[in-house]
Amino acid sequence: MPTLADPHDQAATEVSSPQLREAIIRDVWPSVAAHPGPAGLARGCYRTIILAPVGWLVLAPIYFMKLLAVLPGLSGLATRYRLTNRRLMLCKGLRPVPYKEVPLDRIKDVKLVTDANSAFFVAGTLDVIDADGKTVLSLPGVPEAESVRHAILQAAAAWGPVLKAGKAG
């Protein structure tokens, strides 16, 4: 690890209690499948060698949105999903600032929603369900969505009861 690295931006490799500090479990950038229109057009173009470059041109701006966030006023283009030992967040900007979040103790289930682009781009939409059965957060275009789904459910099972006990006591 470089000497100037921020330890809060690194994934946790140790056990850390959520009462002591928040530790990142997983960071995921949305794939191009988060934008179904351009992704569907590109998927259609990829079927022929002649139109494949058109598909690349359609998806390039979407793929590089996170790099455009360096420019002033465009930081909202960089979106990522962050799972910690306290909450699941949607963050914007290169230096992630949460704008939507769900505490782990509210997560009851996570549903994987697939569409026509899901198999091609190996991505899907995750809907986070609370104890009342309502969708409290939707994560479109999650790459390797089944793996992320299991990570969220395991984090909620491991840290959710700890968070509830911390609030009661």
Side-chain angles (χ1 to χ4, degrees), residues 3-167:
T3 56
L4 297 177
D6 185 6
H8 300 339
D9 288 339
Q10 301 296 319
T13 57
E14 81 281 353
V15 176
S16 177
S17 173
Q19 287 85 7
L20 297 178
R21 75 178 184 99
E22 188 168 22
I24 298 169
I25 297 172
R26 191 157 184 177
D27 250 347
V28 180
W29 292 90
S31 77
V32 294
H35 306 276
L41 175 65
R43 184 174 47 89
C45 290
Y46 288 159
R47 293 184 179 157
T48 66
I49 294 173
I50 296 168
L51 293 178
V54 173
W56 300 334
L57 290 174
V58 167
L59 291 182
I62 296 168
Y63 183 75
F64 292 111
M65 276 195 317
K66 56 189 159 207
L67 298 178
L68 291 174
V70 175
L71 301 173
L74 296 178
S75 66
L77 292 176
T79 302
R80 76 177 81 178
Y81 312 131
R82 178 169 277 183
L83 176 64
T84 69
N85 61 346
R86 292 183 186 169
R87 56 193 172 158
L88 175 64
M89 303 176 278
L90 272 79
C91 299
K92 287 204 179 250
L94 284 179
R95 296 190 59 66
V97 176
Y99 73 97
K100 286 184 183 176
E101 63 182 57
V102 176
L104 292 180
D105 59 351
R106 283 191 55 205
I107 297 174
K108 173 77 171 164
D109 193 18
V110 180
K111 284 195 314 185
L112 173 60
V113 180
T114 59
D115 60 5
N117 296 323
S118 295
F120 187 81
F121 291 105
V122 191
T125 299
L126 294 178
D127 289 336
V128 179
I129 312 294
D130 68 356
D132 298 332
K134 293 185 283 187
T135 300
V136 290
L137 196 61
S138 184
L139 310 174
V142 178
E144 300 177 356
E146 188 64 32
S147 171
V148 175
R149 177 182 171 271
H150 286 291
I152 295 169
L153 290 172
Q154 290 171 357
W159 297 110
V162 174
L163 292 171
K164 282 182 185 176
K167 288 179 185 174

